[in-house]
Amino acid sequence: MSVDENGTVLESKSAVRNAVEHACLNVALPVDVHTHLYSARFGDLLLWGFDELVTYHYLIAEVCRTNRSVSPDEFYAMSKSEQAEHIWQSLFIDESPISEARRGVLTCLEAYGLDVESRNIEEYREFFASTTVEEHIDRVFETANCERVVMTNDPFDDQERPVWDAGPEDDDRFLAALRIDPLLVTWHDAQPRLEQWGYEVHMDLGGPTLDEIRRFLMDWSERMDPVYMAASLGFNFQYPDEHPSTPILDQAIIPACKELGIPFAPMIGVKRQVNPSLRLAGDAVGKCDIGMVERLCRHNPDCDFFVTLLSRENQHELCVAARKFPNLMPFGCWWFLNDPSIIDEITRERLELLGNSFVAQHSDCRVLDQLVYKWEHSRRTIARVLIDKYLDLHATGWRLTREQIEEDIRGLFGQNFLDWTGNGGVSRGPAEGIAKAMR
Ligand code: FIX
Ligand code: ZN
């Protein structure tokens, strides 16, 4: 293997294969672009440990279908530890834990050096009880080899707001995202709350309402320093529309994002509460109108849109839309798509249609420990795809270097987002912004 001024040239197919696999499994994750994690200062908002892992809402949905002797209401009437024991017995002991969410729990335990075969949950509980949240955050970031995560920060959350009242985030592993669903999805609920907080907003959007919504966004951006603004939008969300969401987008959200130099991140496709008895586990998926995404990008060429769609059926058309709009960057294999078979399919079509210009994955972790398993699983799946793609390239006679492959993979694992937003959108840290500081 020769080394030239650009680095280690990979001459053989096996050298390419080994370099890609090593890079995928070992490069530090620059940023996990969407999670529901929080730094330690947020207290109980940060979920971690065995019982939280096992009572993840994905597993609640699985246990309610697998063990019908306990109804959802009876399940939710249990204590957290009773829920965990019920799920462990039903989904791990009584049948093989072969689903992605079940396998993930075991990947975490194994990564911490625990005896998975003991199946002794008291042993697992003792491991977590023996550490502090600060120590465990360090352990998880090190085990997952992750440099930063983006939180989901909701100014409408009564438990979260006081934490921001106490001051800005001071753990630079945790970047903020300003989450604003109520402004677009439940304006009738959001309006009285903004009014209560001192913003002159009217239900009919009259008077200074739209300027006041923009002021609300700028005020919270001052506090949070978000890397993007986000909203989870239903599969049937439309733009433009007669709904209040269109003027709120056009005259408040998008102007605020442009002023801040950060993307708006619509996350589209949820079909809310198809089974309300499952509560947080009761949401499903629907195919959205890709035309809505195209119109957002076409009508607002000076705003960046960082987009993830929930339906598998939307993925190919999202890639085509991204080819048409440089201000559109697809990201992640979200929620019901975060499974090896679908990650494989989505990543292949993205590479084939977009080259490197996307972010391949985010974890969507709700429990700190999931950072370990969700990325361990994704790294391996994405490695298989990239080996094929780089071997296709190698077959043309084109020669790659180890360093180039590593840079490509860091990009796909989040650096592409930081570079795409430049420095305007990520002002945390050194004056030149985090993107440059992280290169
Ligand atoms: O809207 C979102 O951010 C979704 O990711 C969550 O609401 C969802 O429950 C989830 O955690 C999916 O992984
Ligand atoms: Zn999420």
Side-chain angles (χ1 to χ4, degrees), residues 231-247:
S232 175
L233 304 172
F235 72 99
N236 52 0
F237 184 84
Q238 266 305 338
Y239 175 90
D241 196 89
E242 296 306 310
H243 186 276
S245 58
T246 293

Side-chain angles (χ1 to χ4, degrees), residues 34-36 152 179 267 334-335 362 364-366:
H34 172 60
T35 77
H36 298 267
T152 295
R179 184 65 178 257
M267 303 169 62
W334 183 25
W335 201 339
H362 70 277
D364 226 313
C365 295
R366 281 185 173 270

